[in-house]
Amino acid sequence: MVEQSDRAPLLDWEEIPPPDQNQVAQPPREADAPLATGRIPAAITLSPTPNLTAVAASRGETPNRAGEAVPGSDRPEPLGSDVLFSGLTVKDQWEEKDQIVSVFVVTFDTRSGNMVEWCLPHDINLDGVEFKSMASGSHRITSDFIYFRKAAYFGLACFANMPVESELERGARMKSVGILSPSYTLLYRYMHFLENQVRHQLQCPGQYSPLEAFYEDKKAVLPPTGNGLVTACPTWSVTAINRCMHPEMKITHPAGCMSQFIQFFGEQIMVLWKFALLRKRLLIFSPPPVGVVCYRVYCCCCLANVSIPGIGVSVPELRPFFYVNIADISALETEMSYVACTTEKIFEDKKDLYDVYVDNQNVKTHRSHLQPLLKLNAADKEKYRKLGEQRQLLLYSQEVEEDCTSNEEDLFILFFMELNNRIFQTLSEVAGSADPTLTVDHVRAMGLDPQGDRSFLADLLEVYGIDVTLVVDNLCCP
């Protein structure tokens, strides 16, 4: 029997509580003013350590125990730490509400294959979710979690595989319990609940009371037109926030996937960074479990953050698709830029669907003009070395100074955001000057290799439509 909770009828689930509202940093006086446009801020430079306190404040966190500044915070704060979006206050931007539009149970039937066993609301279109929430090859593992996209929604499902003494089920019972939401930023809150519920469904099939109560407590109100828009929720723009900065874009909490991402790819993250900034189509292959690979999708998207107003508005948004399978082929065919992962090796042969294919730690591309970007140059290695130094400083501050407000995710994201800001700041200044010529000195000032990054820069100028002349002679000379 399912134990009832006093929080809601039949509600038996847990979620991570939101931050203490008393700790939320006060917004600046001009918090409600529209974001200024057409302004190029002062040049932003890479510092020994990114200003992590700024991001902590924007997320409702407090400075470290003594109130000291984070090492390196005497430089100007990176643009974006207190940037407001038009018509939205800081509280509006960083606080999302629960927007669960569906909860469902998927099962594997030995005769019919993957199928949606149960869902709420009953009339919602879940076509394809039975394959998205139970990755191909999952029969080889005991448990997993999966992030995915379904039309305008994002989903999180927890999968479990339990041995049973049943000839009808061929010795194994496999199910996934998942949810859909217009945004993936808060789905991590319900990971524990979904893990518990999929185990409950394996042990007690057909008992949906906790899921029904959960949906009633968290559901978003959909319009009768069924156009996929949520009307009873905040009117802030996910796209606007994702374009400018990363706050509350995380898919796991506490952070940790960044550290694994760096350790897994090593210096190759500098290659992935260039492809992400160029808004290429990145497809990551890995056998199950696929949960950790979904984190890599998220990390790749974080590489391309830029906080300078107006930059990137005209380029395709780098959209996280998370897990995809053959049922998503038609959707991927229309995408100009995305990051996704799959467990199906057949995708490798469908070269028209992607620009960059990542198999384990092997990053490759079949596009001839992108081949030079696969080779690491001296500037790439230097940037990776600086990232390693900053990680060590962060670990030191956490261990010795007991600084609990800064984390590796903030460091990682700010490192690449400041790197991107420096590049676009320089390009914007050169484009607006009397002589819009990008010299070797400009290239070095951006932290790039004048020779090794020539093709990268040429593609960057074309993709972002920046009217700058790139000097191509004497690039190898000091």
Side-chain angles (χ1 to χ4, degrees), residues 321-342:
F321 261 72
F322 299 111
Y323 175 73
V324 295
N325 55 32
I326 56 175
D328 295 298
I329 288 179
S330 59
L332 294 179
E333 287 175 337
T334 63
E335 290 296 323
M336 298 179 63
S337 175
Y338 71 83
V339 185
C341 61
T342 186

Side-chain angles (χ1 to χ4, degrees), residues 47-73:
S47 62
T49 303
N51 190 340
L52 308 182
T53 305
V55 171
S58 74
R59 292 161 56 178
E61 300 172 357
T62 56
N64 60 18
R65 54 191 178 89
E68 304 98 351
V70 177
S73 61

